[in-house]
Amino acid sequence: MVNTVPNLGVMALEDDGRVDFARLRRQRRQRVLDAMAERDFDVLILGREANARYATGARRLWMSGTRPFAPGCVLVHANGSVHLLNNWDEGIPTEIPRDHLFGLSWNPVTYVERLKGIPGLTSARRIGVDAMTPLWRQLLGLVAPAAELRDAQAMLLELRMRKSAEELRCIRTAVAIAEASLAAAIDALRPGIRERTLLGAFNRRMTAYGITAPSMEGTFCAIEPGPVGSRARVRRLTSDRHIDAGALVALSGGVLYAGYEGAVGRTWPCIGPGTGMAAVRAEHRDLRRRWTAVWNRVADRCRPGATGDDLRAAYEASGETLPPFPIAYSVGIGYEAPIAGSSLGPIFDRRWRLEPGMVLGVQAYVAGSAGGYFGLETVLITPDGHEVLSSLSHGPLLEAD
Amino acid sequence: MQRQGIDALVLAGTGNVHYATGATWLTSDAGRAICEPAIAIVTPHGQPHLFTPYPEGIPADLEPGRRHGPLAPEFPEGVAELAAVLTDLLGNTSLRVGFDELSAAAHEHLPRLLPKMTIVNAGEVLAPAKLCKTADELECIRRAQRINELAMYDVHSALRPGVRQCDLTGIFLDRIFELGATGNGIDPIWQATPLAIADGPFSVNGDLPFPIPSTDRILRQGELVIVDSGIKYEGYCSDFGRTWLVGEDVASARQRDHFKRWCDVMSRVLEIVRPGTTGLELNRAACKGENDRRPWLDHFYLIHGLGTESAEPPFIGTDLGEDYDESVVLSPGMVLVLEPVIWDDGHGGYRSEELVAVTDTGYRWLSQFPYAPFDTDGRWRW
């Protein structure tokens, strides 16, 4: 655990590389191999991008959305070897030898032959997979006829959730960059601007730190007020709309540093630069106060031993309605899993018990007829409670108090 | 589905769900996409069922009975819910259900939860359905390509010694969103390419390593930069490919010759693009007179299709071989992305991509972007 305030940045320093990536990869790979032994997996075949990156440190091209499963990464427990279906060694850590790299192929027959050449795969008894397709259900039977193919995703999620000091340093850096990028969107906010222009501003600032891919394209959405007695709905999909003076705007974005996600969300009134606090409406300040109340209750439960269901119960005890998205999710190499308030319900939330070293995205939304307030914080679970890793101001709605 | 004897489809791939429903969602990395997925269940009767965490992304014409809250098949609890939904929609009978992908939990638990169901490959239905585009699909692709190209004018004018790859990405992302993109597809590639393959990263297949992800790499005078990007407009993809030079207004005579050879390959291929032409004929036309190597990247293809996926059938020139290429027959509505590559080892080469749609009698262009600094007069015309 990092105890001092870290010097966050993206430049390599001659006296301090900031993140010891060799150590980071060594620890992650060892954790995967240890877990394989514990669960009696001879081989892991990984197709999920985050799992393959966790196990190998391979830096691959970012693409949005899902990728269909293919056996892109193979780990053999007996000799601890890693094999990657990748054409070249750029982006591949040097501990993975070149003869463990395989070319890209469009031909399943070629793929099968290459897999058969990996020592220890054809004779495997238990193979863990993190996803599957109908075609690969058949083809993997040809590669390892005696093996049973079992779900390894739960095991991988569990070990990914506990972060090392190096992983935390990456997340802290990502959060700092996400905040800087959100601040650029806030700087651009003024009456009449289009929502999508704010999204562009976020991305533009993100790339100034050498980051070329966000973890999500983010939410830059005006929250339209409703009739008296109604609850304004929050949209999460940025649109072409122009933002009116005085509107509340939900702003949220995430970036990836060395694969790790940092995210932050705020709600800002569209009052334009240089406008005095007099422009902030009392109803909007009231929404922010209600948000702080629910946040305080949930944050109070962000401590070792609490379950996802405890966070949900704390949220509901504040008297606010759960939003139509999870109120807490595990953050690491991207979005790892919903922890609380997902559509899977309280029983699912009970399966997650918070431990020191876990990192959560915690989000809340409160609404009235005047609009709504959305906020997202990144939270580290510490041995005796939590530390909020995000630090960006809540802006004029807070300052007006 | 009727032709293949498939009773229902369960789709989780983002491109497939978009194709089946027209829904939109928060564009994100793969982790978020699998944890907060939009899922489509297609039955032979009526509209598809859409399960999504993004209500504002539901198409306006989807009937209320077909709109549902999210499913989460990444987790065993979510698989149980999916099984209950399938039983509810399809009944507990012997059915052949096509899946595009399965979570590990679905792979393990669904056969036990629905013992009468046979899991089959949804690709058997989707690939032929998606192959030929409607006029509206072509218009979405054309708009995606237009937005991508407009953004690239700004990027190209910023290309100069000292600019970093990430700086170009910043300009690109800012512009595509301003111009109306509904999402970015891939991390844009601005690959500074060594002039000899031996000078680049080691590659297992011996050909030019491409694509190499962007970083904060500083681009320097004279470097050969291979550009590739793809964005989305209402779920449909663009594909932009060009070769640029850092800080050079005019390419050298040898570089212009690479470009001319690339144009010759394009001309030979385009000359026979019309309904009825086979993939093997296109492959042979591209290779004619090119004795040293096939004029495209060995680990990719001469031609790929494009739609709700950035690369989808038809594929021509892959390692699937000549028999496969011969089985590909062009039909009206197919979108072809042509990406020949000329490589002159030790002196670099040239790669660009162009999009055409096959028409009843030939083809029409979906892409249009200059070839500077390789076409000496800046006015290359096909």
Short mmCIF file of all heavy atoms in Angstrom, two decimals, chain B residues 184-206:
data_model
loop_
_atom_site.label_atom_id
_atom_site.label_comp_id
_atom_site.label_asym_id
_atom_site.label_seq_id
_atom_site.Cartn_x
_atom_site.Cartn_y
_atom_site.Cartn_z
N ASN B 184 -16.12 6.13 -31.09
CA ASN B 184 -14.88 5.80 -31.77
C ASN B 184 -14.78 4.28 -31.81
O ASN B 184 -15.23 3.60 -30.89
CB ASN B 184 -13.69 6.40 -31.02
CG ASN B 184 -12.39 6.17 -31.76
OD1 ASN B 184 -12.38 6.13 -32.99
ND2 ASN B 184 -11.31 5.99 -31.03
N GLY B 185 -14.19 3.74 -32.86
CA GLY B 185 -14.12 2.29 -33.00
C GLY B 185 -12.80 1.70 -32.52
O GLY B 185 -12.78 0.77 -31.73
N ILE B 186 -11.69 2.28 -33.02
CA ILE B 186 -10.38 1.78 -32.59
C ILE B 186 -9.49 2.97 -32.22
O ILE B 186 -9.70 4.08 -32.70
CB ILE B 186 -9.67 0.93 -33.67
CG1 ILE B 186 -9.26 1.80 -34.88
CG2 ILE B 186 -10.52 -0.23 -34.12
CD1 ILE B 186 -8.25 1.12 -35.77
N ASP B 187 -8.54 2.69 -31.36
CA ASP B 187 -7.51 3.66 -31.02
C ASP B 187 -6.76 4.00 -32.32
O ASP B 187 -6.14 3.12 -32.93
CB ASP B 187 -6.56 2.97 -30.01
CG ASP B 187 -5.45 3.88 -29.53
OD1 ASP B 187 -5.45 5.07 -29.88
OD2 ASP B 187 -4.57 3.37 -28.81
N PRO B 188 -6.83 5.24 -32.80
CA PRO B 188 -6.27 5.54 -34.12
C PRO B 188 -4.76 5.22 -34.18
O PRO B 188 -4.04 5.43 -33.22
CB PRO B 188 -6.50 7.04 -34.29
CG PRO B 188 -7.48 7.43 -33.27
CD PRO B 188 -7.43 6.42 -32.18
N ILE B 189 -4.36 4.70 -35.33
CA ILE B 189 -2.97 4.26 -35.52
C ILE B 189 -2.24 5.30 -36.36
O ILE B 189 -2.72 5.69 -37.43
CB ILE B 189 -2.96 2.89 -36.23
CG1 ILE B 189 -3.57 1.84 -35.30
CG2 ILE B 189 -1.54 2.50 -36.63
CD1 ILE B 189 -4.31 0.78 -36.03
N TRP B 190 -1.11 5.74 -35.83
CA TRP B 190 -0.22 6.65 -36.57
C TRP B 190 1.16 5.99 -36.52
O TRP B 190 2.02 6.41 -35.78
CB TRP B 190 -0.17 8.04 -35.92
CG TRP B 190 -1.46 8.50 -35.30
CD1 TRP B 190 -1.79 8.46 -33.99
CD2 TRP B 190 -2.59 9.09 -35.96
NE1 TRP B 190 -3.06 8.96 -33.78
CE2 TRP B 190 -3.57 9.37 -34.99
CE3 TRP B 190 -2.87 9.40 -37.31
CZ2 TRP B 190 -4.80 9.94 -35.29
CZ3 TRP B 190 -4.11 9.98 -37.60
CH2 TRP B 190 -5.04 10.24 -36.61
N GLN B 191 1.30 4.92 -37.27
CA GLN B 191 2.47 4.07 -37.10
C GLN B 191 3.67 4.61 -37.87
O GLN B 191 3.67 4.65 -39.10
CB GLN B 191 2.15 2.65 -37.59
CG GLN B 191 3.34 1.73 -37.51
CD GLN B 191 2.99 0.29 -37.82
OE1 GLN B 191 1.89 -0.17 -37.53
NE2 GLN B 191 3.91 -0.44 -38.41
N ALA B 192 4.71 5.03 -37.13
CA ALA B 192 5.97 5.41 -37.75
C ALA B 192 6.65 4.12 -38.19
O ALA B 192 6.99 3.29 -37.36
CB ALA B 192 6.83 6.17 -36.75
N THR B 193 6.79 3.96 -39.49
CA THR B 193 7.14 2.66 -40.04
C THR B 193 8.60 2.65 -40.50
O THR B 193 8.98 3.50 -41.31
CB THR B 193 6.22 2.35 -41.23
OG1 THR B 193 4.87 2.48 -40.78
CG2 THR B 193 6.43 0.95 -41.76
N PRO B 194 9.41 1.70 -40.01
CA PRO B 194 10.80 1.62 -40.48
C PRO B 194 10.82 1.29 -41.97
O PRO B 194 9.88 0.67 -42.49
CB PRO B 194 11.39 0.45 -39.67
CG PRO B 194 10.39 0.10 -38.64
CD PRO B 194 9.07 0.63 -39.07
N LEU B 195 11.89 1.67 -42.64
CA LEU B 195 11.95 1.45 -44.08
C LEU B 195 12.28 0.00 -44.43
O LEU B 195 12.03 -0.44 -45.55
CB LEU B 195 13.00 2.39 -44.71
CG LEU B 195 12.70 3.89 -44.47
CD1 LEU B 195 13.74 4.75 -45.16
CD2 LEU B 195 11.29 4.26 -44.92
N ALA B 196 12.83 -0.74 -43.46
CA ALA B 196 13.10 -2.17 -43.68
C ALA B 196 12.42 -2.97 -42.57
O ALA B 196 12.42 -2.55 -41.41
CB ALA B 196 14.60 -2.43 -43.67
N ILE B 197 11.87 -4.12 -42.94
CA ILE B 197 11.17 -4.94 -41.96
C ILE B 197 12.11 -5.34 -40.82
O ILE B 197 11.72 -5.36 -39.65
CB ILE B 197 10.54 -6.17 -42.65
CG1 ILE B 197 9.34 -5.72 -43.50
CG2 ILE B 197 10.11 -7.23 -41.63
CD1 ILE B 197 8.74 -6.79 -44.38
N ALA B 198 13.38 -5.59 -41.16
CA ALA B 198 14.36 -6.01 -40.15
C ALA B 198 14.60 -4.92 -39.09
O ALA B 198 15.05 -5.22 -37.99
CB ALA B 198 15.67 -6.38 -40.82
N ASP B 199 14.29 -3.67 -39.42
CA ASP B 199 14.51 -2.58 -38.47
C ASP B 199 13.34 -2.39 -37.50
O ASP B 199 13.41 -1.59 -36.57
CB ASP B 199 14.74 -1.26 -39.21
CG ASP B 199 16.02 -1.29 -40.03
OD1 ASP B 199 16.90 -2.13 -39.71
OD2 ASP B 199 16.13 -0.50 -40.98
N GLY B 200 12.25 -3.09 -37.77
CA GLY B 200 11.06 -2.91 -36.94
C GLY B 200 11.03 -3.93 -35.82
O GLY B 200 11.99 -4.68 -35.64
N PRO B 201 9.95 -3.99 -35.08
CA PRO B 201 9.83 -5.04 -34.09
C PRO B 201 9.82 -6.41 -34.77
O PRO B 201 9.38 -6.53 -35.91
CB PRO B 201 8.49 -4.75 -33.40
CG PRO B 201 7.79 -3.76 -34.25
CD PRO B 201 8.80 -3.11 -35.12
N PHE B 202 10.33 -7.41 -34.04
CA PHE B 202 10.31 -8.78 -34.55
C PHE B 202 8.86 -9.19 -34.83
O PHE B 202 7.96 -8.92 -34.04
CB PHE B 202 10.92 -9.71 -33.51
CG PHE B 202 10.57 -11.15 -33.74
CD1 PHE B 202 11.27 -11.89 -34.68
CD2 PHE B 202 9.53 -11.75 -33.04
CE1 PHE B 202 10.93 -13.22 -34.90
CE2 PHE B 202 9.20 -13.07 -33.26
CZ PHE B 202 9.89 -13.81 -34.20
N SER B 203 8.66 -9.85 -35.96
CA SER B 203 7.31 -10.34 -36.29
C SER B 203 7.39 -11.81 -36.62
O SER B 203 8.28 -12.25 -37.34
CB SER B 203 6.77 -9.55 -37.49
OG SER B 203 5.61 -10.18 -37.97
N VAL B 204 6.42 -12.58 -36.09
CA VAL B 204 6.46 -14.03 -36.33
C VAL B 204 6.17 -14.39 -37.77
O VAL B 204 6.55 -15.46 -38.22
CB VAL B 204 5.49 -14.82 -35.43
CG1 VAL B 204 5.99 -14.87 -34.02
CG2 VAL B 204 4.08 -14.26 -35.49
N ASN B 205 5.48 -13.53 -38.52
CA ASN B 205 5.16 -13.94 -39.89
C ASN B 205 6.09 -13.32 -40.93
O ASN B 205 5.91 -13.55 -42.11
CB ASN B 205 3.69 -13.68 -40.22
CG ASN B 205 3.40 -12.22 -40.35
OD1 ASN B 205 4.30 -11.38 -40.22
ND2 ASN B 205 2.15 -11.89 -40.59
N GLY B 206 7.05 -12.52 -40.48
CA GLY B 206 8.05 -12.01 -41.42
C GLY B 206 7.60 -10.81 -42.22
O GLY B 206 8.41 -10.14 -42.84
#
